[in-house]
Amino acid sequence: KPHKESISGSSNSQLIVRDSSIGLNATNNKGYVIESPDGLIYVNVRFNSSSTFQQGGFVSKGEAALGSVFRTAVMPNGNATTGRGDGFQNFISILSTDDTKIRIDNIPNGLSSIDNSGITFPFEIELKKNESFVLSQSFPDTEANLSPSNTERFALIGAIVQEIDSSGNPVDNKNLVVNTGSVTGHFSTGNGRDYGIDQITGLSTLGAGNQYVLVKGNGGGNNVENALIIAHKPNTKIWINDSEYQTLNNPGDFLYYEIPGNPGENVFISTNDDSKPIFVYQSTGFNYSGAPGANQGMFFVPPISCSSKGNIDLIPFVGEPVLSSSGQLFEGQLSIVTNSGAELFVKDSDGNI
């Protein structure tokens, strides 16, 4: 039977690192370690803003989350060319499962948006077991931030988090877990905003990491349905539906790709090269005319070669958390990718299709 554990709504809960601790030192008293002695478990974290206007969540990747090399992404708060919006925060959160050292790089120096900034990139820090380091950038709710520059808003897209030894050499000990994303951010030039956060996996978990299938959601014509495609190696050619589309010249370069077609249609993204892995994130949402670009999220996409194949035995507490004022459950949709000709069954808790 699924279990639901409530987390404090305080701004200083176990899930939240206060702004005053961000970007300075390691934190040793935040986060959760959830284990089961009896077999596999599924862990999903869900949350909403104090106003309940924004909600989000992410799925723990379990042992698959452990890695040594990661490429991060955040909501770009605008489209591919134009920044729009204020009052948002982007972040990278890194937890170490053993004593180790990390390097964060491919982020421009001299950014005014980096919180508590006294660091330069590449940045290195030692972490002890169960310590975390959080790097974030904030765009306060002011008129001056209504049109953030591309350099600022794209700064954490394609950043690399890497585990290193005491001499600065890369190691593959798989001691790191990384969450990344945005608080009240968005993909669009509208006024809407929402949460887009996920726990990601490292390079070694991706396998070849060069083939992905994305399903377009119901974000409408507000530039909500997009992919961020991040190169890990130089001169990575991106293919869309078997046609060469663009070459990403440098590691960490990314393609902002607006997914065409109608809701439910899919797109195939690849590099056609097993030696050129890519990290892919997708934004999706629901078309809400009251605030264009609202009701959206961002998630990390596993490649089709990854271990996320087979049966999905349980998606619990659909529609939660509820609106505290009315107890209303939220609606949602499933996007399911399977092989052509395969039989697919979707059942509720009573076994009905």
Side-chain angles (χ1 to χ4, degrees):
K1 181 180 178 179
H3 170 74
K4 180 166 54 178
E5 184 74 18
S6 296
I7 299 172
S8 167
S10 164
S11 61
N12 194 30
S13 74
Q14 191 64 24
L15 197 63
I16 296 175
V17 176
R18 298 295 295 271
D19 289 351
S20 58
S21 301
I22 287 175
L24 297 173
N25 302 297
T27 300
N28 61 11
N29 62 347
K30 294 292 185 178
Y32 293 89
V33 177
I34 301 172
E35 299 175 306
S36 169
D38 300 322
L40 297 176
I41 56 174
Y42 162 97
V43 179
N44 176 223
V45 180
R46 305 181 193 180
F47 42 84
N48 54 255
S49 64
S50 58
S51 68
T52 70
F53 291 155
Q54 290 87 30
Q55 295 200 342
F58 62 88
V59 175
S60 169
K61 306 306 185 292
E63 292 183 354
L66 294 168
S68 295
V69 180
F70 303 81
R71 292 279 179 183
T72 65
V74 298
M75 291 173 138
N77 299 291
N79 58 23
T81 59
T82 305
R84 177 73 173 93
D86 55 3
F88 58 89
Q89 187 174 40
N90 302 328
F91 73 93
I92 305 168
S93 173
I94 306 152
L95 169 72
S96 175
T97 60
D98 206 343
D99 296 356
T100 193
K101 189 175 184 179
I102 63 170
R103 177 187 294 133
I104 305 172
D105 202 2
N106 203 44
I107 298 174
N109 284 307
L111 299 177
S112 61
S113 58
I114 298 293
D115 293 320
N116 303 323
S117 179
I119 63 177
T120 57
F121 301 100
F123 172 74
E124 298 178 1
I125 186 172
E126 293 183 358
L127 296 177
K128 297 186 180 300
K129 183 177 180 178
N130 291 337
E131 284 189 336
S132 299
F133 180 78
V134 180
L135 177 72
S136 72
Q137 57 175 172
S138 294
F139 298 79
D141 197 355
T142 64
E143 188 72 24
N145 283 316
L146 284 176
S147 300
S149 71
N150 289 352
T151 300
E152 295 274 356
R153 65 193 182 95
F154 293 156
L156 303 189
I157 302 176
I160 187 169
V161 176
Q162 188 162 41
E163 190 174 11
I164 58 176
D165 62 20
S166 58
S167 300
N169 301 306
V171 294
D172 191 24
N173 295 331
K174 299 181 177 64
N175 287 325
L176 305 180
V177 178
V178 175
N179 296 343
T180 187
S182 300
V183 176
T184 61
H186 60 96
F187 287 73
S188 78
T189 54
N191 296 323
R193 59 181 73 181
D194 219 323
Y195 291 129
I197 297 168
D198 208 356
Q199 185 173 99
I200 66 177
T201 66
L203 180 66
S204 59
T205 304
L206 297 182
N210 68 330
Q211 294 183 330
Y212 295 79
V213 173
L214 278 62
V215 180
K216 184 168 184 173
N218 198 24
N222 298 313
N223 309 115
V224 168
E225 302 291 332
N226 301 279
L228 294 175
I229 304 165
I230 302 170
H232 185 64
K233 294 187 177 180
N235 302 315
T236 296
K237 293 182 179 180
I238 304 301
W239 293 66
I240 306 292
N241 291 334
D242 298 322
S243 296
E244 187 173 339
Y245 189 83
Q246 184 174 321
T247 297
L248 301 176
N249 296 322
N250 303 302
D253 283 356
F254 71 93
L255 168 63
Y256 183 116
Y257 178 70
E258 187 165 352
I259 301 172
N262 298 313
E265 294 184 3
N266 60 43
V267 59
F268 178 60
I269 299 172
S270 69
T271 66
N272 274 351
D273 186 340
D274 288 349
S275 69
K276 297 290 179 74
I278 50 179
F279 288 74
V280 178
Y281 296 77
Q282 182 179 351
S283 67
T284 187
F286 178 76
N287 186 14
Y288 175 53
S289 59
N295 296 338
Q296 61 176 287
M298 183 188 75
F299 61 91
F300 179 77
V301 183
I304 58 175
S305 60
C306 201
S307 57
S308 59
K309 296 183 289 186
N311 294 332
I312 300 173
D313 295 328
L314 180 66
I315 304 177
F317 307 118
V318 174
E320 297 189 26
V322 299
L323 276 175
S324 57
S325 58
S326 64
Q328 175 187 348
L329 284 172
F330 286 84
E331 297 180 354
Q333 297 176 335
L334 291 176
S335 294
I336 304 171
V337 178
T338 189
N339 292 327
S340 177
E343 284 190 305
L344 176 66
F345 297 93
V346 180
K347 300 180 180 181
D348 63 17
S349 58
D350 296 321
N352 299 314
I353 297 179

